Amino acid sequence: MEPHRWLPLEANPDVTNQFLKQLGIHPDWQFVDVYGMEPELLSMVPRPVCAVLLLFPITEKYETFRTEEEERIKAKGQDVKSSVYFMKQTINNACGTIGLIHAIANNREKMNFETNSSLKKFLEDSLSMTPEERAKYLETYEAIRVTHESSAHEGQTESSSSSLSSPPSSSQPQVSHSRTKASQLCQSASLSWAKRNHVGPAKATSPSIRLRRWRPLIRLPSVGLHSVAPSIDEKVDLHFIALVNVGGHLYELDGRKPFPINHGETSDDSFLEDAIEVCKKFMERDPEELRFNAIALSAA
């Protein structure tokens, strides 16, 4: 049977906030861009923050790390609170929606849902399910699928499935990830960070570590960005994960992984900084990559 495939969702606060509105969530919490990792840039993010979505490239280096991480956790174990809401990903290109579900589900006591909210009903129906059952339920949950499709069309995504490349082979289901059409995402590292990680001078052009969403119709051949949709031969694999605080621990929630990843203790006050430390590790594992972006779910 052909796997379910959705249009990819863009890491754009305008798109994600409209998505949440259509799912029946009052705008008490809104996604905002995270423009950089230094204290002065993080101070621009409204507080409190209850979740961070990270968009990053799936590369061979990352896939190697992911396999090693899974084996290490299976061997040593980890503590994961039973209250963590986690679901697997079985739908191609649904990582953005699953990231949003993870963000809202693990902060549902903070959210103000409309009475007829389709997401509220999905969460209530799926609370007692396993991560695999939640994934299968999403496959048949028409209200969220339709909303996802509408939001994907609102962004700068492209619907041509032929131009979506697959991630590197692994034992996990090969589910396509998020990509942008004319607005790919990149990070410019600081000179000091670049030197530590041997990044070439062309990439070390910013005075701070920035996460930047490139605007449409800008052509920057030196970093591989295009003003038109990439050809079928170009490999562009971008994937969303959610970072949340549940019971004083920071969890990474990725539907491609078999379980949540516990990144240690956190608090409401330090959550954004702690989440950004996790984001830095993703960037440091692929110092030559530029395609990183983060958005934070903040109190409006």
Side-chain angles (χ1 to χ4, degrees):
M1 179 183 296
E2 195 69 22
H4 294 266
R5 180 185 295 277
W6 291 0
L7 285 172
L9 198 65
E10 186 177 334
N12 179 336
D14 294 337
V15 172
T16 51
N17 289 333
Q18 182 62 24
F19 192 2
L20 294 182
K21 181 179 178 181
Q22 292 177 342
L23 289 174
I25 299 176
H26 284 283
D28 302 331
W29 294 81
Q30 295 275 289
F31 278 101
V32 298
D33 280 311
V34 177
Y35 288 109
M37 296 184 171
E38 295 182 348
E40 61 268 28
L41 294 172
L42 293 179
S43 69
M44 297 169 61
V45 179
R47 309 297 178 105
V49 171
C50 70
V52 170
L53 296 188
L54 173 67
L55 185 72
F56 66 96
I58 298 291
T59 65
E60 290 185 10
K61 288 182 180 179
Y62 174 73
E63 290 295 87
T64 298
F65 166 80
R66 184 170 68 92
T67 300
E68 294 172 349
E69 177 188 58
E70 180 180 333
E71 292 174 350
R72 183 174 65 253
I73 291 175
K74 285 181 176 178
K76 295 183 177 180
Q78 65 171 346
D79 292 327
V80 175
K81 293 184 181 296
S82 60
S83 54
V84 175
Y85 183 103
F86 176 67
M87 65 184 296
K88 295 299 297 289
Q89 179 182 347
T90 56
I91 304 171
N92 289 344
N93 300 332
C95 58
T97 288
I98 290 172
L100 288 172
I101 292 174
H102 279 146
I104 300 301
N106 288 287
N107 290 285
R108 55 190 179 277
E109 73 284 351
K110 300 182 178 75
M111 301 296 136
N112 189 3
F113 294 93
E114 299 278 1
T115 304
N116 60 348
S117 167
S118 56
L119 181 54
K120 180 182 179 182
K121 183 179 185 304
F122 177 86
L123 295 179
E124 290 174 345
D125 292 347
S126 62
L127 275 179
S128 61
M129 296 180 182
T130 66
E132 292 75 18
E133 289 170 340
R134 290 166 181 163
K136 300 301 289 184
Y137 186 42
L138 183 61
E139 291 179 9
T140 64
Y141 202 82
E142 194 69 4
I144 291 181
R145 184 194 67 79
V146 170
T147 305
H148 173 108
E149 295 287 308
S150 173
S151 297
H153 281 295
E154 286 296 318
Q156 295 158 346
T157 55
E158 67 176 314
S159 59
S160 175
S161 60
S162 64
S163 64
L164 291 170
S165 55
S166 300
S169 60
S170 71
S171 59
Q172 298 296 325
Q174 288 199 354
V175 285
S176 298
H177 310 299
S178 175
R179 72 181 299 177
T180 55
K181 181 179 180 180
S183 180
Q184 287 189 13
L185 313 164
C186 84
Q187 152 263 352
S188 298
S190 67
L191 285 170
S192 60
W193 184 88
K195 289 176 181 177
R196 288 202 310 273
N197 292 279
H198 310 292
V199 180
K203 296 170 185 175
T205 58
S206 172
S208 60
I209 298 177
R210 302 289 176 90
L211 292 167
R212 183 164 42 174
R213 178 155 48 84
W214 289 95
R215 302 305 179 196
L217 304 181
I218 296 177
R219 185 174 180 85
L220 296 168
S222 63
V223 293
L225 300 183
H226 300 270
S227 59
V228 296
S231 73
I232 190 171
D233 296 321
E234 291 186 74
K235 186 176 182 58
V236 181
D237 292 315
L238 302 176
H239 185 57
F240 278 103
I241 61 168
L243 300 170
V244 299
N245 172 14
V246 180
H249 281 80
L250 195 162
Y251 292 96
E252 171 192 334
L253 304 176
D254 180 351
R256 295 181 73 230
K257 294 185 177 182
F259 35 66
I261 308 297
N262 186 338
H263 284 284
E265 293 184 356
T266 189
S267 68
D268 291 341
D269 291 337
S270 68
F271 170 71
L272 177 59
E273 285 75 16
D274 295 338
I276 291 302
E277 287 300 315
V278 175
C279 296
K280 286 181 183 179
K281 293 177 182 177
F282 277 77
M283 296 165 66
E284 290 167 356
R285 279 192 290 267
D286 265 303
E288 297 183 358
E289 267 289 352
L290 299 176
R291 298 168 298 159
F292 294 88
N293 191 47
I295 55 177
L297 186 55
S298 301

